[in-house]
Amino acid sequence: MPFLTVHCACLQPLLGQHHEDDVSFAALCSEAGQTESKRWFNLAAVGTVAGQWRETHVLDFLRRCTDLGDSQILNVFDLLDSEGRGTIGFAEFYYLALMLMAMKEGKMKVFLYLRSAQTILLLQALARNSLDACADVRMTPKIACAHVCMLLRPFGLEELMPARLTQLRMTMRREMTGTEAEIVLFAICNEYDHLLASSANGLDVGVVEAGERG
């Protein structure tokens, strides 16, 4: 099963001249990396309100940086635009950039450790958007398996780990709290990192996944 292709050269402008030879997850996580990324993001936010990107900006960015199709990219945008404003800010963009680099380097578990709060907020926003109109919006919404799949699907992770998510659907009949969802995501991210490392070592992903289940 193919992994998402991430073109690091297209992410280099986010890091500025100080990191020309170090396009990495660690560099992007650094204070300098975040500062340079925000500067680049604001410069690229042409034709819109300062500090905001429309879906056309995200389409252009992800077309250059990944092999995602347009329908997948629009799903990513909808995921990040959890309030339905039609734009995303730097916080959402930076989350996306970090996730792409983590997927490229097999550091999804580290990414989730650093961005767990923002990830749970995204899942809760998905849950809130699916609530009935009569539901009390003041209550913290519970997270269902479907919401976890909605987070993973645009990046191809649902297709990459079908056994893990089938198991999740069977075992998680009830809705989860944020803490429970975080535990599930850590397991998924850990498995992704393991699959990517195994793939890099020439092992078949399907065989590795079968071994994980056994």
Side-chain angles (χ1 to χ4, degrees), residues 52-71:
Q52 298 291 317
W53 272 21
R54 295 196 180 103
E55 65 179 30
T56 52
H57 295 92
V58 178
L59 275 165
D60 180 63
F61 174 71
L62 289 180
R63 281 171 180 166
R64 287 185 288 107
C65 293
T66 73
D67 60 352
L68 291 174
D70 285 0
S71 61

Side-chain angles (χ1 to χ4, degrees), residues 41 44-61 73-74 77 81 85-89:
F41 173 84
V46 294
T48 186
V49 178
Q52 298 291 317
W53 272 21
R54 295 196 180 103
E55 65 179 30
T56 52
H57 295 92
V58 178
L59 275 165
D60 180 63
F61 174 71
I73 295 173
L74 292 175
F77 179 83
D81 180 27
R85 298 170 300 177
T87 60
I88 65 168

Side-chain angles (χ1 to χ4, degrees), residues 25 29 91 95 98-99 102 107-125 143 148 151 177-187 189:
F25 179 75
C29 284
Y95 177 92
L98 286 174
M99 186 174 186
K107 294 182 177 176
M108 283 295 290
K109 192 174 180 181
V110 178
F111 164 79
L112 185 60
Y113 176 77
L114 295 173
R115 295 283 154 175
S116 60
Q118 191 172 359
T119 301
I120 296 304
L121 286 176
L122 281 175
L123 289 172
Q124 289 174 340
I143 298 165
V148 175
L151 175 68
T177 64
T179 300
E180 291 170 331
E182 190 175 6
I183 293 171
V184 169
L185 284 171
F186 266 113
C189 289

Side-chain angles (χ1 to χ4, degrees), residues 125-208:
L126 289 172
R128 186 174 290 107
N129 291 339
S130 64
L131 288 174
D132 294 333
C134 60
D136 188 348
V137 296
R138 295 171 298 179
M139 295 180 62
T140 301
K142 293 291 185 70
I143 298 165
C145 173
H147 304 130
V148 175
C149 292
M150 287 170 69
L151 175 68
L152 303 176
R153 187 174 299 134
F155 302 97
L157 297 183
E158 186 180 31
E159 184 181 3
L160 185 65
M161 295 184 289
R164 165 66 71 179
L165 293 172
T166 298
Q167 181 186 40
L168 178 62
R169 291 187 184 97
M170 293 177 64
T171 56
M172 294 295 179
R173 296 294 186 183
R174 62 181 179 82
E175 294 177 325
M176 297 174 278
T177 64
T179 300
E180 291 170 331
E182 190 175 6
I183 293 171
V184 169
L185 284 171
F186 266 113
I188 291 172
C189 289
N190 184 61
E191 183 170 337
Y192 173 86
D193 292 346
H194 182 66
L195 288 174
L196 186 63
S198 298
S199 177
N201 290 330
L203 298 179
D204 182 78
V205 170
V207 173
V208 172

